Amino acid sequence: MTLSITRRRTIVAMAGALAPIACRSSAAAASPVRLSYQESSVLLQVLRNRAILEPRLQALGFTPVWSQLGHSLAELGQVDFQGDVAEAVPVMIHQKLPNLILYAAEGPSPRAAGIVVRNDGGINGVPMLNRKRVGVAKGGSSFDLLLRSLHNNGMSLADIEATYLPEAASSAAFSSGHLDAWATYDPFLSSAETDPRARLLTDGGSQGLRYDRYYMVDAGFARAHPQVVKAMFDALVEGAAWIRTHPDQATTLLSGLWQNMPLEAVRRIDSHRNYSVRAIDNTDIPTLQQIAGRYRAAGVLPMDPDVASIGIWKAA
């Protein structure tokens, strides 16, 4: 049977009118996946801005909802996927947030953490930090670097004037001369190194720091949606490969995301990072246990956080 022109036009018009409704219904049906990131989350920044992750999630009926990584325990527990964190963080938060498990690691990148000093301070070696004001974020991997550096030179926290500040506050204090040294990590480290008033005293590569970055997921979410965790892992692998094969584009992208950071500093950051994503293996938990031991000895952890019980996600 042949449709009349009028009927065909009516059907086409109805289809056109219904299409947006169908799209809206499909979008509304997509389940949100809550993900966090921080300034140093290079791979996650690439995933967000290169549309690497979103199509993978949409194919599974999910949509990403991004937020800046919080630092309180309440904020850390409000996402499904925790932004990449330095290796000391799982040790610090496990006791309060045992539901967060490891699903991927990037690194090691030991040169991405370091201690910078002022050129006019006359500090030419770690022993010369004695009685000096050293800024550091307590509990992070730059804190672990500081502990290692002091220990390797027969010193302890008691020999310095440790000033515990978040990175932005340490940066301001160091620039204004209120700190003699600053233990930090990228992108703050490389930004400080490009300042003609500062120089690198030591880095993780010289002090035995691994500086892996860990990616964490809520255990309940991982059990319910293992296909989403697999999609996230695969997206991280793809993002890392893109950075390695497109270094100039990656540098330009990251510079824009970091308030137009000078390209020289961004290239330095890229040279420090491994950009190799891997599954969690049997070397990770012992590394975290060693960090826990150093932190207990330094009085940062009041009790054993039972690092051995940190969960690990493995693809089926």
PDB file of all heavy atoms in Angstrom, residues 63-93:
ATOM      1  N   THR A  63      26.629   7.958  33.373  1.00  0.00           N
ATOM      2  CA  THR A  63      27.165   9.258  32.979  1.00  0.00           C
ATOM      3  C   THR A  63      28.061   9.787  34.096  1.00  0.00           C
ATOM      4  O   THR A  63      27.741   9.624  35.283  1.00  0.00           O
ATOM      5  CB  THR A  63      26.029  10.265  32.691  1.00  0.00           C
ATOM      6  OG1 THR A  63      26.583  11.473  32.161  1.00  0.00           O
ATOM      7  CG2 THR A  63      25.242  10.606  33.946  1.00  0.00           C
ATOM      8  N   PRO A  64      29.219  10.384  33.769  1.00  0.00           N
ATOM      9  CA  PRO A  64      30.136  10.843  34.819  1.00  0.00           C
ATOM     10  C   PRO A  64      29.697  12.157  35.454  1.00  0.00           C
ATOM     11  O   PRO A  64      29.211  13.058  34.769  1.00  0.00           O
ATOM     12  CB  PRO A  64      31.458  11.022  34.058  1.00  0.00           C
ATOM     13  CG  PRO A  64      31.038  11.342  32.657  1.00  0.00           C
ATOM     14  CD  PRO A  64      29.778  10.567  32.421  1.00  0.00           C
ATOM     15  N   VAL A  65      29.873  12.251  36.759  1.00  0.00           N
ATOM     16  CA  VAL A  65      29.641  13.493  37.500  1.00  0.00           C
ATOM     17  C   VAL A  65      30.936  13.788  38.253  1.00  0.00           C
ATOM     18  O   VAL A  65      31.299  13.069  39.189  1.00  0.00           O
ATOM     19  CB  VAL A  65      28.462  13.358  38.484  1.00  0.00           C
ATOM     20  CG1 VAL A  65      28.296  14.646  39.285  1.00  0.00           C
ATOM     21  CG2 VAL A  65      27.178  13.015  37.742  1.00  0.00           C
ATOM     22  N   TRP A  66      31.646  14.836  37.837  1.00  0.00           N
ATOM     23  CA  TRP A  66      32.974  15.130  38.368  1.00  0.00           C
ATOM     24  C   TRP A  66      32.911  16.145  39.507  1.00  0.00           C
ATOM     25  O   TRP A  66      32.070  17.040  39.509  1.00  0.00           O
ATOM     26  CB  TRP A  66      33.876  15.694  37.274  1.00  0.00           C
ATOM     27  CG  TRP A  66      34.172  14.744  36.154  1.00  0.00           C
ATOM     28  CD1 TRP A  66      33.481  14.603  34.985  1.00  0.00           C
ATOM     29  CD2 TRP A  66      35.243  13.798  36.103  1.00  0.00           C
ATOM     30  NE1 TRP A  66      34.059  13.629  34.206  1.00  0.00           N
ATOM     31  CE2 TRP A  66      35.144  13.118  34.862  1.00  0.00           C
ATOM     32  CE3 TRP A  66      36.275  13.463  36.979  1.00  0.00           C
ATOM     33  CZ2 TRP A  66      36.041  12.128  34.483  1.00  0.00           C
ATOM     34  CZ3 TRP A  66      37.173  12.475  36.597  1.00  0.00           C
ATOM     35  CH2 TRP A  66      37.050  11.814  35.366  1.00  0.00           C
ATOM     36  N   SER A  67      33.838  16.021  40.451  1.00  0.00           N
ATOM     37  CA  SER A  67      33.964  17.008  41.521  1.00  0.00           C
ATOM     38  C   SER A  67      35.424  17.097  41.940  1.00  0.00           C
ATOM     39  O   SER A  67      36.194  16.149  41.767  1.00  0.00           O
ATOM     40  CB  SER A  67      33.095  16.631  42.723  1.00  0.00           C
ATOM     41  OG  SER A  67      33.527  15.401  43.288  1.00  0.00           O
ATOM     42  N   GLN A  68      35.793  18.260  42.472  1.00  0.00           N
ATOM     43  CA  GLN A  68      37.150  18.449  42.971  1.00  0.00           C
ATOM     44  C   GLN A  68      37.340  17.597  44.222  1.00  0.00           C
ATOM     45  O   GLN A  68      36.451  17.524  45.073  1.00  0.00           O
ATOM     46  CB  GLN A  68      37.392  19.918  43.314  1.00  0.00           C
ATOM     47  CG  GLN A  68      38.839  20.282  43.562  1.00  0.00           C
ATOM     48  CD  GLN A  68      39.595  20.620  42.292  1.00  0.00           C
ATOM     49  OE1 GLN A  68      38.991  20.956  41.282  1.00  0.00           O
ATOM     50  NE2 GLN A  68      40.904  20.538  42.329  1.00  0.00           N
ATOM     51  N   LEU A  69      38.480  16.938  44.305  1.00  0.00           N
ATOM     52  CA  LEU A  69      38.763  16.058  45.435  1.00  0.00           C
ATOM     53  C   LEU A  69      38.765  16.835  46.740  1.00  0.00           C
ATOM     54  O   LEU A  69      39.475  17.828  46.886  1.00  0.00           O
ATOM     55  CB  LEU A  69      40.127  15.385  45.246  1.00  0.00           C
ATOM     56  CG  LEU A  69      40.625  14.493  46.384  1.00  0.00           C
ATOM     57  CD1 LEU A  69      39.750  13.258  46.502  1.00  0.00           C
ATOM     58  CD2 LEU A  69      42.072  14.075  46.144  1.00  0.00           C
ATOM     59  N   GLY A  70      37.945  16.385  47.702  1.00  0.00           N
ATOM     60  CA  GLY A  70      37.944  16.996  49.021  1.00  0.00           C
ATOM     61  C   GLY A  70      39.016  16.374  49.894  1.00  0.00           C
ATOM     62  O   GLY A  70      39.561  15.312  49.585  1.00  0.00           O
ATOM     63  N   HIS A  71      39.337  17.021  50.991  1.00  0.00           N
ATOM     64  CA  HIS A  71      40.388  16.508  51.862  1.00  0.00           C
ATOM     65  C   HIS A  71      39.868  16.072  53.228  1.00  0.00           C
ATOM     66  O   HIS A  71      40.613  15.500  54.010  1.00  0.00           O
ATOM     67  CB  HIS A  71      41.490  17.558  52.026  1.00  0.00           C
ATOM     68  CG  HIS A  71      42.240  17.818  50.757  1.00  0.00           C
ATOM     69  ND1 HIS A  71      43.168  16.940  50.249  1.00  0.00           N
ATOM     70  CD2 HIS A  71      42.163  18.832  49.867  1.00  0.00           C
ATOM     71  CE1 HIS A  71      43.654  17.411  49.111  1.00  0.00           C
ATOM     72  NE2 HIS A  71      43.057  18.557  48.861  1.00  0.00           N
ATOM     73  N   SER A  72      38.588  16.338  53.506  1.00  0.00           N
ATOM     74  CA  SER A  72      38.021  15.826  54.749  1.00  0.00           C
ATOM     75  C   SER A  72      37.540  14.402  54.504  1.00  0.00           C
ATOM     76  O   SER A  72      37.248  14.006  53.376  1.00  0.00           O
ATOM     77  CB  SER A  72      36.847  16.700  55.196  1.00  0.00           C
ATOM     78  OG  SER A  72      35.740  16.528  54.329  1.00  0.00           O
ATOM     79  N   LEU A  73      37.446  13.618  55.575  1.00  0.00           N
ATOM     80  CA  LEU A  73      36.991  12.237  55.433  1.00  0.00           C
ATOM     81  C   LEU A  73      35.577  12.185  54.869  1.00  0.00           C
ATOM     82  O   LEU A  73      35.244  11.299  54.074  1.00  0.00           O
ATOM     83  CB  LEU A  73      37.055  11.527  56.782  1.00  0.00           C
ATOM     84  CG  LEU A  73      38.467  11.193  57.287  1.00  0.00           C
ATOM     85  CD1 LEU A  73      38.397  10.630  58.696  1.00  0.00           C
ATOM     86  CD2 LEU A  73      39.150  10.202  56.356  1.00  0.00           C
ATOM     87  N   ALA A  74      34.738  13.147  55.266  1.00  0.00           N
ATOM     88  CA  ALA A  74      33.365  13.166  54.763  1.00  0.00           C
ATOM     89  C   ALA A  74      33.350  13.347  53.251  1.00  0.00           C
ATOM     90  O   ALA A  74      32.630  12.654  52.529  1.00  0.00           O
ATOM     91  CB  ALA A  74      32.575  14.279  55.438  1.00  0.00           C
ATOM     92  N   GLU A  75      34.178  14.273  52.746  1.00  0.00           N
ATOM     93  CA  GLU A  75      34.224  14.521  51.304  1.00  0.00           C
ATOM     94  C   GLU A  75      34.825  13.332  50.561  1.00  0.00           C
ATOM     95  O   GLU A  75      34.366  12.966  49.477  1.00  0.00           O
ATOM     96  CB  GLU A  75      35.043  15.778  51.021  1.00  0.00           C
ATOM     97  CG  GLU A  75      34.384  17.064  51.477  1.00  0.00           C
ATOM     98  CD  GLU A  75      35.296  18.261  51.281  1.00  0.00           C
ATOM     99  OE1 GLU A  75      36.382  18.288  51.887  1.00  0.00           O
ATOM    100  OE2 GLU A  75      34.915  19.158  50.520  1.00  0.00           O
ATOM    101  N   LEU A  76      35.853  12.721  51.141  1.00  0.00           N
ATOM    102  CA  LEU A  76      36.499  11.587  50.492  1.00  0.00           C
ATOM    103  C   LEU A  76      35.538  10.416  50.318  1.00  0.00           C
ATOM    104  O   LEU A  76      35.677   9.624  49.392  1.00  0.00           O
ATOM    105  CB  LEU A  76      37.719  11.139  51.308  1.00  0.00           C
ATOM    106  CG  LEU A  76      38.930  12.076  51.288  1.00  0.00           C
ATOM    107  CD1 LEU A  76      39.955  11.631  52.318  1.00  0.00           C
ATOM    108  CD2 LEU A  76      39.565  12.117  49.905  1.00  0.00           C
ATOM    109  N   GLY A  77      34.564  10.311  51.202  1.00  0.00           N
ATOM    110  CA  GLY A  77      33.651   9.180  51.145  1.00  0.00           C
ATOM    111  C   GLY A  77      32.404   9.416  50.327  1.00  0.00           C
ATOM    112  O   GLY A  77      31.512   8.563  50.304  1.00  0.00           O
ATOM    113  N   GLN A  78      32.314  10.555  49.630  1.00  0.00           N
ATOM    114  CA  GLN A  78      31.091  10.902  48.920  1.00  0.00           C
ATOM    115  C   GLN A  78      31.149  10.630  47.422  1.00  0.00           C
ATOM    116  O   GLN A  78      30.328  11.150  46.674  1.00  0.00           O
ATOM    117  CB  GLN A  78      30.757  12.380  49.159  1.00  0.00           C
ATOM    118  CG  GLN A  78      30.294  12.661  50.583  1.00  0.00           C
ATOM    119  CD  GLN A  78      30.024  14.134  50.825  1.00  0.00           C
ATOM    120  OE1 GLN A  78      30.281  14.974  49.968  1.00  0.00           O
ATOM    121  NE2 GLN A  78      29.503  14.449  51.993  1.00  0.00           N
ATOM    122  N   VAL A  79      32.098   9.832  46.972  1.00  0.00           N
ATOM    123  CA  VAL A  79      32.209   9.536  45.549  1.00  0.00           C
ATOM    124  C   VAL A  79      32.295   8.028  45.335  1.00  0.00           C
ATOM    125  O   VAL A  79      32.573   7.265  46.260  1.00  0.00           O
ATOM    126  CB  VAL A  79      33.445  10.225  44.923  1.00  0.00           C
ATOM    127  CG1 VAL A  79      33.299  11.736  44.944  1.00  0.00           C
ATOM    128  CG2 VAL A  79      34.720   9.793  45.627  1.00  0.00           C
ATOM    129  N   ASP A  80      32.052   7.623  44.087  1.00  0.00           N
ATOM    130  CA  ASP A  80      32.196   6.212  43.729  1.00  0.00           C
ATOM    131  C   ASP A  80      33.649   5.901  43.366  1.00  0.00           C
ATOM    132  O   ASP A  80      34.188   4.871  43.761  1.00  0.00           O
ATOM    133  CB  ASP A  80      31.278   5.882  42.548  1.00  0.00           C
ATOM    134  CG  ASP A  80      29.822   6.191  42.845  1.00  0.00           C
ATOM    135  OD1 ASP A  80      29.329   5.721  43.887  1.00  0.00           O
ATOM    136  OD2 ASP A  80      29.185   6.910  42.049  1.00  0.00           O
ATOM    137  N   PHE A  81      34.265   6.817  42.597  1.00  0.00           N
ATOM    138  CA  PHE A  81      35.666   6.672  42.214  1.00  0.00           C
ATOM    139  C   PHE A  81      36.459   7.816  42.824  1.00  0.00           C
ATOM    140  O   PHE A  81      36.175   8.984  42.554  1.00  0.00           O
ATOM    141  CB  PHE A  81      35.827   6.697  40.688  1.00  0.00           C
ATOM    142  CG  PHE A  81      35.379   5.440  40.004  1.00  0.00           C
ATOM    143  CD1 PHE A  81      34.067   5.305  39.574  1.00  0.00           C
ATOM    144  CD2 PHE A  81      36.265   4.394  39.785  1.00  0.00           C
ATOM    145  CE1 PHE A  81      33.639   4.150  38.947  1.00  0.00           C
ATOM    146  CE2 PHE A  81      35.853   3.233  39.151  1.00  0.00           C
ATOM    147  CZ  PHE A  81      34.534   3.107  38.733  1.00  0.00           C
ATOM    148  N   GLN A  82      37.439   7.455  43.644  1.00  0.00           N
ATOM    149  CA  GLN A  82      38.277   8.457  44.281  1.00  0.00           C
ATOM    150  C   GLN A  82      39.391   8.852  43.333  1.00  0.00           C
ATOM    151  O   GLN A  82      40.066   8.002  42.756  1.00  0.00           O
ATOM    152  CB  GLN A  82      38.873   7.887  45.567  1.00  0.00           C
ATOM    153  CG  GLN A  82      39.582   8.893  46.444  1.00  0.00           C
ATOM    154  CD  GLN A  82      38.649   9.991  46.908  1.00  0.00           C
ATOM    155  OE1 GLN A  82      38.683  11.084  46.363  1.00  0.00           O
ATOM    156  NE2 GLN A  82      37.808   9.706  47.880  1.00  0.00           N
ATOM    157  N   GLY A  83      39.587  10.169  43.165  1.00  0.00           N
ATOM    158  CA  GLY A  83      40.643  10.655  42.289  1.00  0.00           C
ATOM    159  C   GLY A  83      41.986  10.059  42.650  1.00  0.00           C
ATOM    160  O   GLY A  83      42.211   9.659  43.790  1.00  0.00           O
ATOM    161  N   ASP A  84      42.894   9.990  41.697  1.00  0.00           N
ATOM    162  CA  ASP A  84      44.187   9.386  41.983  1.00  0.00           C
ATOM    163  C   ASP A  84      44.839  10.098  43.156  1.00  0.00           C
ATOM    164  O   ASP A  84      44.813  11.320  43.262  1.00  0.00           O
ATOM    165  CB  ASP A  84      45.090   9.414  40.750  1.00  0.00           C
ATOM    166  CG  ASP A  84      45.396  10.814  40.260  1.00  0.00           C
ATOM    167  OD1 ASP A  84      44.473  11.646  40.243  1.00  0.00           O
ATOM    168  OD2 ASP A  84      46.548  11.075  39.890  1.00  0.00           O
ATOM    169  N   VAL A  85      45.401   9.304  44.041  1.00  0.00           N
ATOM    170  CA  VAL A  85      46.022   9.834  45.252  1.00  0.00           C
ATOM    171  C   VAL A  85      47.424   9.259  45.379  1.00  0.00           C
ATOM    172  O   VAL A  85      47.711   8.164  44.893  1.00  0.00           O
ATOM    173  CB  VAL A  85      45.195   9.488  46.509  1.00  0.00           C
ATOM    174  CG1 VAL A  85      43.852  10.195  46.481  1.00  0.00           C
ATOM    175  CG2 VAL A  85      44.997   7.981  46.653  1.00  0.00           C
ATOM    176  N   ALA A  86      48.299  10.012  46.016  1.00  0.00           N
ATOM    177  CA  ALA A  86      49.660   9.537  46.239  1.00  0.00           C
ATOM    178  C   ALA A  86      49.642   8.342  47.186  1.00  0.00           C
ATOM    179  O   ALA A  86      48.691   8.130  47.944  1.00  0.00           O
ATOM    180  CB  ALA A  86      50.516  10.658  46.809  1.00  0.00           C
ATOM    181  N   GLU A  87      50.715   7.565  47.150  1.00  0.00           N
ATOM    182  CA  GLU A  87      50.722   6.259  47.801  1.00  0.00           C
ATOM    183  C   GLU A  87      50.510   6.303  49.310  1.00  0.00           C
ATOM    184  O   GLU A  87      50.085   5.310  49.910  1.00  0.00           O
ATOM    185  CB  GLU A  87      52.036   5.539  47.487  1.00  0.00           C
ATOM    186  CG  GLU A  87      53.280   6.303  47.908  1.00  0.00           C
ATOM    187  CD  GLU A  87      54.549   5.715  47.311  1.00  0.00           C
ATOM    188  OE1 GLU A  87      54.455   4.728  46.568  1.00  0.00           O
ATOM    189  OE2 GLU A  87      55.634   6.256  47.585  1.00  0.00           O
ATOM    190  N   ALA A  88      50.773   7.435  49.949  1.00  0.00           N
ATOM    191  CA  ALA A  88      50.578   7.503  51.396  1.00  0.00           C
ATOM    192  C   ALA A  88      49.109   7.662  51.782  1.00  0.00           C
ATOM    193  O   ALA A  88      48.724   7.337  52.907  1.00  0.00           O
ATOM    194  CB  ALA A  88      51.386   8.660  51.979  1.00  0.00           C
ATOM    195  N   VAL A  89      48.285   8.151  50.863  1.00  0.00           N
ATOM    196  CA  VAL A  89      46.894   8.465  51.213  1.00  0.00           C
ATOM    197  C   VAL A  89      46.079   7.229  51.597  1.00  0.00           C
ATOM    198  O   VAL A  89      45.345   7.259  52.595  1.00  0.00           O
ATOM    199  CB  VAL A  89      46.219   9.258  50.076  1.00  0.00           C
ATOM    200  CG1 VAL A  89      44.740   9.486  50.376  1.00  0.00           C
ATOM    201  CG2 VAL A  89      46.932  10.594  49.879  1.00  0.00           C
ATOM    202  N   PRO A  90      46.145   6.112  50.856  1.00  0.00           N
ATOM    203  CA  PRO A  90      45.392   4.931  51.303  1.00  0.00           C
ATOM    204  C   PRO A  90      45.748   4.503  52.725  1.00  0.00           C
ATOM    205  O   PRO A  90      44.881   4.021  53.469  1.00  0.00           O
ATOM    206  CB  PRO A  90      45.792   3.859  50.280  1.00  0.00           C
ATOM    207  CG  PRO A  90      46.145   4.624  49.053  1.00  0.00           C
ATOM    208  CD  PRO A  90      46.810   5.872  49.558  1.00  0.00           C
ATOM    209  N   VAL A  91      47.004   4.691  53.096  1.00  0.00           N
ATOM    210  CA  VAL A  91      47.435   4.357  54.459  1.00  0.00           C
ATOM    211  C   VAL A  91      46.718   5.247  55.473  1.00  0.00           C
ATOM    212  O   VAL A  91      46.233   4.778  56.505  1.00  0.00           O
ATOM    213  CB  VAL A  91      48.964   4.530  54.593  1.00  0.00           C
ATOM    214  CG1 VAL A  91      49.406   4.352  56.043  1.00  0.00           C
ATOM    215  CG2 VAL A  91      49.694   3.549  53.686  1.00  0.00           C
ATOM    216  N   MET A  92      46.627   6.537  55.158  1.00  0.00           N
ATOM    217  CA  MET A  92      46.072   7.506  56.099  1.00  0.00           C
ATOM    218  C   MET A  92      44.556   7.381  56.254  1.00  0.00           C
ATOM    219  O   MET A  92      44.018   7.658  57.328  1.00  0.00           O
ATOM    220  CB  MET A  92      46.428   8.926  55.647  1.00  0.00           C
ATOM    221  CG  MET A  92      47.913   9.242  55.682  1.00  0.00           C
ATOM    222  SD  MET A  92      48.602   9.210  57.357  1.00  0.00           S
ATOM    223  CE  MET A  92      47.750  10.603  58.104  1.00  0.00           C
ATOM    224  N   ILE A  93      43.855   6.976  55.195  1.00  0.00           N
ATOM    225  CA  ILE A  93      42.392   7.003  55.250  1.00  0.00           C
ATOM    226  C   ILE A  93      41.752   5.634  55.460  1.00  0.00           C
ATOM    227  O   ILE A  93      40.551   5.550  55.698  1.00  0.00           O
ATOM    228  CB  ILE A  93      41.806   7.639  53.969  1.00  0.00           C
ATOM    229  CG1 ILE A  93      42.049   6.736  52.745  1.00  0.00           C
ATOM    230  CG2 ILE A  93      42.373   9.029  53.754  1.00  0.00           C
ATOM    231  CD1 ILE A  93      41.390   7.248  51.473  1.00  0.00           C
TER     232      ILE A  93
END
